Amino acid sequence: MPELTDILHVLLLRDYNTRLVVLATAILGIATGVVGTFMLLRKRALLGDALSHTTLPGVGLAFILATLIGMDGKSLPILLTGALLMSIAGAGTILLIRRYTRLKEDAALGITLSVFFGAGVAILGVIQQMGLSSAAGLQTFIYGSTASMIASDAIFIAVVAGIVVSTCTLLFKELKLLCFDEDFAQGQGWPVGLLDAVLAGLMVLVVVVGLQAVGMILIVAMLIIPAAAARFWTERLLSMTIIAALIGAISAASGAAASALYPNLPSGAMIVLVALAIFILSALVAPARGVISRALRKQTLNKRVDRQHLLRAMYEFLKATDDERYDEDKPPAQDVGFDELLCCRSWNTRKLTRLLHSAQRDGLVRTSYNGRWLLTQRGAGAAVRVVRNYRLWEIYLINYADVAPNHVDRDADRIEHVLSPTLIRELEELLERDGRIPIIQFSPHKMPPAMPGSGSD
């Protein structure tokens, strides 16, 4: 277990190597978050997985060639150049398979990934049989190793990350159009193929520079997880891109710091585990699309729907027994029994009791002297608004959408609870212009008859 002084040294970035590694991986996390956002929305997330696996034979071949001509085979620029060239070859292979065969994109990705990765494993086996002592450490490109990072490596990562982020910033509007409406972009004359190639090229750069920090297997997680986590927090692309960059930076820096505290743990694995923890947290508590937030919103909507159903059922039942027009300023003159309400909708006794007591606490209904239920003045006004909105939509469906009267209740019931004030005004203007605006009209469906003994309060 690390001592407290070791933890403070890592957290405060007092050690030069730790500071170098954490800052470099954080910068890499920003680049992966930005590029991953567009790749995720473009539905090309698995392309990064395929291209990352194609880097392995490039690393192996670059080492062999550099060693044969007397150069340092473990020079990072040489190895990354080989990885870059092989990634480009892998992308070209995927494109050729998709274009000149009947295979789908998933098959092209699977073929390219497995073949190139298999070739890389074979090349690493050949290197081991060559008996070169300098070959030790090449396997770190599979799982990642930040401990061996030096200043020149960090500068290289920062430069490439800066190029990637700057390009995405300059082409933000074009990439946004490409991700959300490719056909419209093509119709407007935008070079869709070129934009796709630029996006794939940026992803290749991120994959190549991320080999040392995260490794070829786990770099795809840094392209997908931050963007997927950011998607839970917002509905806007710019906000999603910024959040994904922050999540990528936090994940990379935290994972690198954890790897510094526990040297036996691979840095790539720690980075991905931190990103996974942030993803799970986002999926649960994010206000925009989180599981808990959506459950609360659904519960609130269901409560409002049940409340509106209760008010409409009471209004329509009472209206069926009283031909006088309801007035918001005049309390209802009749009450309704529990059993009569129970027949209006598919409620059970427990649910209807809960609805009535909830409405009573909010001052919308009250009990009469004989234990029956009636709307208060406030409840009557709310019921009139609910029924009026329902009738507006009902009449619109009958007269403009050619929905049969015996089917309109189901369609109107689905939408009436989410009618916005703007949409209500538009419906009123449309129906008023055509002379169909209702004050409060009867539903085209048959109402239940009045039960004996329904008197006034």
Side-chain angles (χ1 to χ4, degrees), residues 16 51 55 82 98 150 216 244 279 327 366 447:
Y16 170 77
L51 295 183
T55 60
R98 288 175 53 196
I150 59 177
M216 54 165 291
F279 172 82
D327 189 350
R366 62 186 177 89
M447 302 302 302

Side-chain angles (χ1 to χ4, degrees), residues 53-58 60-61 64 86 111-127:
H53 283 73
T54 62
T55 60
L56 184 59
L61 290 175
I64 293 175
M86 197 58 66
I111 292 171
T112 304
L113 183 152
S114 57
V115 170
F116 276 76
F117 186 68
V121 173
I123 293 172
L124 289 182
V126 171
I127 293 174

Side-chain angles (χ1 to χ4, degrees), residues 229-293:
R231 188 69 182 92
F232 288 105
W233 292 93
T234 182
E235 303 287 347
R236 300 179 62 86
L237 178 58
L238 180 58
S239 301
M240 178 181 172
T241 306
I242 296 174
I243 294 174
L246 291 176
I247 293 176
I250 293 172
S251 302
S254 302
S259 180
L261 288 174
Y262 299 91
N264 293 329
L265 296 177
S267 57
M270 297 304 297
I271 290 172
V272 172
L273 287 177
V274 174
L276 176 62
I278 297 177
F279 172 82
I280 294 175
L281 181 66
S282 301
L284 291 177
V285 304
R289 300 164 66 92
V291 174
I292 296 176
S293 302

Side-chain angles (χ1 to χ4, degrees), residues 37 71 147 157 210 231 238 251 257 357 376 410 425 436:
T37 298
M71 299 179 64
I157 291 175
R231 188 69 182 92
L238 180 58
S251 302
H357 288 165
T376 62
R410 178 189 60 188
R425 286 195 299 271
R436 295 191 176 97

Side-chain angles (χ1 to χ4, degrees), residues 167-187:
T167 304
C168 289
T169 303
L170 293 174
L171 298 177
F172 183 81
K173 292 189 293 184
E174 291 77 7
L175 293 177
K176 179 179 180 180
L177 186 59
L178 177 68
C179 292
F180 289 104
D181 201 334
E182 177 184 355
D183 294 334
F184 177 77
Q186 194 167 10

Side-chain angles (χ1 to χ4, degrees), residues 429-451:
E429 293 173 359
L430 175 64
L431 298 177
E432 186 176 24
R433 186 170 60 248
D434 293 348
R436 295 191 176 97
I437 185 72
I439 298 177
I440 292 291
Q441 297 188 6
F442 284 112
S443 171
H445 310 288
K446 186 177 181 180
M447 302 302 302
M451 299 294 290

Side-chain angles (χ1 to χ4, degrees), residues 121-397:
V121 173
I123 293 172
L124 289 182
V126 171
I127 293 174
Q128 291 177 356
Q129 294 179 5
M130 292 172 63
L132 298 175
S133 59
S134 60
L138 286 181
Q139 65 273 13
T140 58
F141 284 93
I142 299 179
Y143 302 108
S145 176
T146 58
S148 60
M149 189 179 297
I150 59 177
S152 59
D153 300 337
I155 294 174
F156 179 68
I157 291 175
V159 170
V160 174
I163 294 173
V164 169
V165 174
S166 300
T167 304
C168 289
T169 303
L170 293 174
L171 298 177
F172 183 81
K173 292 189 293 184
E174 291 77 7
L175 293 177
K176 179 179 180 180
L177 186 59
L178 177 68
C179 292
F180 289 104
D181 201 334
E182 177 184 355
D183 294 334
F184 177 77
Q186 194 167 10
Q188 291 293 314
W190 291 99
V192 173
L194 180 59
L195 291 174
D196 249 337
V198 170
L199 189 57
L202 295 176
M203 186 182 61
V204 168
L205 289 177
V206 171
V207 166
V208 170
V209 299
L211 289 178
Q212 186 180 19
V214 188
M216 54 165 291
I217 294 179
L218 298 178
I219 185 63
V220 64
M222 288 302 295
L223 285 168
I224 299 176
I225 295 179
R231 188 69 182 92
F232 288 105
W233 292 93
T234 182
E235 303 287 347
R236 300 179 62 86
L237 178 58
L238 180 58
S239 301
M240 178 181 172
T241 306
I242 296 174
I243 294 174
L246 291 176
I247 293 176
I250 293 172
S251 302
S254 302
S259 180
L261 288 174
Y262 299 91
N264 293 329
L265 296 177
S267 57
M270 297 304 297
I271 290 172
V272 172
L273 287 177
V274 174
L276 176 62
I278 297 177
F279 172 82
I280 294 175
L281 181 66
S282 301
L284 291 177
V285 304
R289 300 164 66 92
V291 174
I292 296 176
S293 302
R294 293 180 65 181
L296 293 176
R297 287 197 299 270
K298 183 178 180 181
Q299 183 181 8
T300 302
L301 175 61
N302 290 337
K303 182 179 179 181
R304 185 171 75 248
V305 169
D306 290 336
R307 172 71 58 80
Q308 292 177 353
H309 282 164
L310 175 64
L311 294 176
R312 185 157 65 90
M314 292 187 69
Y315 173 86
E316 290 181 339
F317 189 94
L318 297 175
K319 183 65 177 176
T321 60
D322 181 8
D323 198 33
E324 296 180 3
R325 180 176 300 171
Y326 233 47
D327 189 350
E328 293 190 21
D329 298 327
K330 178 182 177 182
Q334 295 185 342
D335 50 19
V336 57
F338 183 90
D339 293 336
E340 297 165 343
L341 277 176
L342 199 61
C343 298
C344 292
R345 281 189 173 270
S346 56
W347 290 316
N348 54 43
T349 302
R350 182 178 178 182
K351 183 174 183 178
L352 181 57
T353 301
R354 186 174 68 251
L355 290 175
L356 287 170
H357 288 165
S358 175
Q360 186 179 28
R361 287 193 300 269
D362 293 339
L364 300 176
V365 301
R366 62 186 177 89
T367 56
S368 61
Y369 66 93
N370 55 1
R372 296 166 65 81
W373 293 90
L374 66 153
L375 294 167
T376 62
Q377 183 171 351
R378 178 183 173 189
V384 168
R385 288 190 293 272
V386 169
V387 175
R388 180 179 175 82
N389 294 344
Y390 177 80
R391 296 290 181 265
L392 284 171
W393 192 250
E394 194 176 54
I395 294 173
Y396 174 82
L397 291 176

